[in-house]
Amino acid sequence: MAVHEHPHRHTGFRFPSLRRSGTAPAAGETTATATATRAHVFAGLRLLTGFVFLWAFLDKTFGLGYATGSGKGWIDGGSPTKGFLGGVAAGPMESTFHDWAGAAWADWLFMLGLLGIGLALVSGIALRLAAVAGTAMMALMWIAEWPPAKHLSDGSASMSTNPFADYHLIYAIVLIALAVAGAGATWGLGKAWARLPFVSRNRWLL
């Protein structure tokens, strides 16, 4: 592919300039721009995180052939928790998770959690509830994988890449940050949700 240079022509994409008529932007304008940019960044993060939870729900429900094989979905009689909890091989709750694996109540709680958190994030409503539920879910999954362990219960290496910070912790922090930032107001229904009378009276529903 040939590239031709045209020294007197300037075409293509350009970032918009903050300068107007040779003067620097006012402080208020700069602050407003930064606030809008931050709101859009949080909104994008919210939508992407919501899709992570929703996709997990859909794949485990219908067996889309990714993490859950075709014909092994929840609607086909498969258990969303049996494989993961049954495979726990380290940590203080190993035997407890084995007892929970495949239990109907565990399947329902896990799947409703994925669906509820995913819908809350995508729509931008009830982010505080989503943060609490999601953090609890991530904490349990962190305990199930137990990153601090160097060895599994059978003596083999755990292959843990970090004894503390893993993706479950990161997801929990993201959920809390989205709730604190009120990230549902941009590209979401957060503002309309907050104006509802029962939400105004119960701020924990935001």
Side-chain angles (χ1 to χ4, degrees):
M1 180 178 66
V3 178
H4 302 282
E5 295 185 2
H6 299 280
H8 301 293
R9 297 176 60 188
H10 302 282
T11 60
F13 177 79
R14 292 183 182 181
F15 287 102
S17 174
L18 294 177
R19 295 181 177 275
R20 291 184 178 179
S21 302
T23 60
E29 180 183 349
T30 301
T31 302
T33 300
T35 301
T37 300
R38 183 166 56 249
H40 286 92
V41 169
F42 272 109
L45 179 61
R46 190 196 85 233
L47 292 171
L48 285 174
T49 307
F51 181 70
V52 170
F53 283 88
L54 278 183
W55 177 260
F57 171 81
L58 293 173
D59 186 51
K60 293 178 184 302
T61 299
F62 301 106
L64 301 179
Y66 289 85
T68 305
S70 179
K72 296 182 179 179
W74 197 23
I75 62 170
D76 300 309
S79 170
T81 63
K82 187 174 183 179
F84 178 68
L85 294 182
V88 173
M93 294 183 63
E94 180 179 351
S95 60
T96 301
F97 285 134
H98 288 173
D99 292 338
W100 292 357
W105 65 267
D107 289 343
W108 276 95
L109 278 180
F110 180 57
M111 295 300 282
L112 288 177
L114 290 177
L115 178 62
I117 295 167
L119 289 177
L121 291 172
V122 170
S123 63
I125 66 175
L127 295 186
R128 292 182 181 181
L129 285 176
V132 171
T135 298
M137 179 184 291
M138 293 300 105
L140 286 171
M141 295 179 74
W142 186 90
I143 295 172
E145 294 198 1
W146 200 244
K150 292 182 178 180
H151 298 89
L152 302 180
S153 55
D154 63 0
S156 61
S158 67
M159 305 301 290
S160 175
T161 58
N162 191 299
F164 174 68
D166 76 340
Y167 66 97
H168 297 108
L169 177 63
I170 294 172
Y171 278 133
I173 296 300
V174 167
L175 289 171
I176 294 170
L178 292 174
V180 171
T186 302
W187 298 341
L189 303 175
K191 289 183 179 179
W193 174 257
R195 288 195 295 265
L196 295 177
F198 70 93
V199 177
S200 298
R201 294 192 299 269
N202 300 278
R203 306 301 290 175
W204 57 272
L205 291 173
L206 288 174

